[in-house]
Amino acid sequence: MAKKITSRTQLSGNRRSHSLRATKHAQKTNVQIMTLEDGTKIRTTTREMRTLRKLSKKQKLEQAA
Protein backbone atom coordinates (compact mmCIF):
# COMPACT_ATOMS: atom_id res chain seq x y z
CA MET A 1 0.00 0.00 0.00
CA ALA A 2 1.28 3.44 -0.88
CA LYS A 3 1.80 6.04 1.84
CA LYS A 4 -0.03 9.33 1.46
CA ILE A 5 2.40 12.20 1.99
CA THR A 6 0.41 15.13 0.69
CA SER A 7 -1.46 17.54 2.94
CA ARG A 8 -3.53 19.21 0.23
CA THR A 9 -7.31 18.97 0.51
CA GLN A 10 -10.16 19.49 -1.91
CA LEU A 11 -11.45 22.93 -2.88
CA SER A 12 -15.10 23.83 -2.72
CA GLY A 13 -17.19 26.06 -4.90
CA ASN A 14 -20.56 26.38 -6.57
CA ARG A 15 -21.92 25.09 -9.84
CA ARG A 16 -24.15 27.65 -11.53
CA SER A 17 -27.08 26.64 -13.70
CA HIS A 18 -28.61 28.81 -16.40
CA SER A 19 -31.05 30.19 -13.81
CA LEU A 20 -28.01 31.02 -11.58
CA ARG A 21 -29.07 28.47 -8.98
CA ALA A 22 -26.03 27.44 -6.89
CA THR A 23 -25.23 23.89 -5.85
CA LYS A 24 -22.15 22.89 -3.88
CA HIS A 25 -19.31 21.32 -5.83
CA ALA A 26 -15.97 19.85 -4.69
CA GLN A 27 -12.79 19.95 -6.76
CA LYS A 28 -10.68 17.01 -5.69
CA THR A 29 -6.90 16.99 -5.91
CA ASN A 30 -5.18 14.99 -8.62
CA VAL A 31 -3.59 12.25 -6.47
CA GLN A 32 -1.34 9.72 -8.19
CA ILE A 33 0.86 6.83 -7.04
CA MET A 34 4.56 7.49 -7.57
CA THR A 35 7.40 4.99 -7.18
CA LEU A 36 10.60 6.46 -5.75
CA GLU A 37 14.11 5.37 -6.71
CA ASP A 38 14.41 3.18 -3.61
CA GLY A 39 11.24 1.27 -4.56
CA THR A 40 8.79 2.77 -2.09
CA LYS A 41 5.42 3.89 -3.37
CA ILE A 42 3.79 7.13 -2.28
CA ARG A 43 0.46 8.81 -3.04
CA THR A 44 1.00 12.46 -3.87
CA THR A 45 -0.47 15.22 -6.00
CA THR A 46 0.79 15.80 -9.51
CA ARG A 47 2.05 19.26 -8.56
CA GLU A 48 4.23 17.75 -5.83
CA MET A 49 5.39 15.01 -8.23
CA ARG A 50 6.59 17.71 -10.60
CA THR A 51 8.50 19.46 -7.80
CA LEU A 52 10.13 16.19 -6.67
CA ARG A 53 11.25 15.42 -10.22
CA LYS A 54 12.75 18.89 -10.61
CA LEU A 55 14.64 18.57 -7.32
CA SER A 56 16.02 15.13 -8.16
CA LYS A 57 17.09 16.35 -11.61
CA LYS A 58 18.86 19.33 -10.02
CA GLN A 59 20.69 17.05 -7.54
CA LYS A 60 21.87 14.76 -10.34
CA LEU A 61 23.25 17.74 -12.28
CA GLU A 62 25.08 19.04 -9.20
CA GLN A 63 26.63 15.62 -8.53
CA ALA A 64 27.81 15.31 -12.13
CA ALA A 65 29.55 18.70 -12.07
Side-chain angles (χ1 to χ4, degrees):
M1 187 70 187
K3 289 184 183 178
K4 184 177 179 184
I5 65 166
T6 185
S7 62
R8 293 178 61 104
T9 58
Q10 64 187 11
L11 298 174
S12 63
N14 289 321
R15 290 211 189 265
R16 293 285 177 166
S17 66
H18 182 67
S19 64
L20 297 181
R21 186 180 179 122
T23 56
K24 289 289 184 184
H25 168 250
Q27 285 183 330
K28 296 182 180 176
T29 55
N30 190 1
V31 178
Q32 302 290 324
I33 295 176
M34 179 181 185
T35 305
L36 300 177
E37 292 178 358
D38 61 351
T40 58
K41 291 184 179 182
I42 58 172
R43 287 180 61 209
T44 183
T45 60
T46 53
R47 182 178 296 250
E48 291 171 345
M49 285 173 74
R50 184 172 182 245
T51 305
L52 289 172
R53 285 193 183 124
K54 282 184 175 184
L55 291 174
S56 67
K57 186 177 181 180
K58 186 177 180 181
Q59 287 177 350
K60 286 180 183 178
L61 289 175
E62 289 175 353
Q63 289 175 356

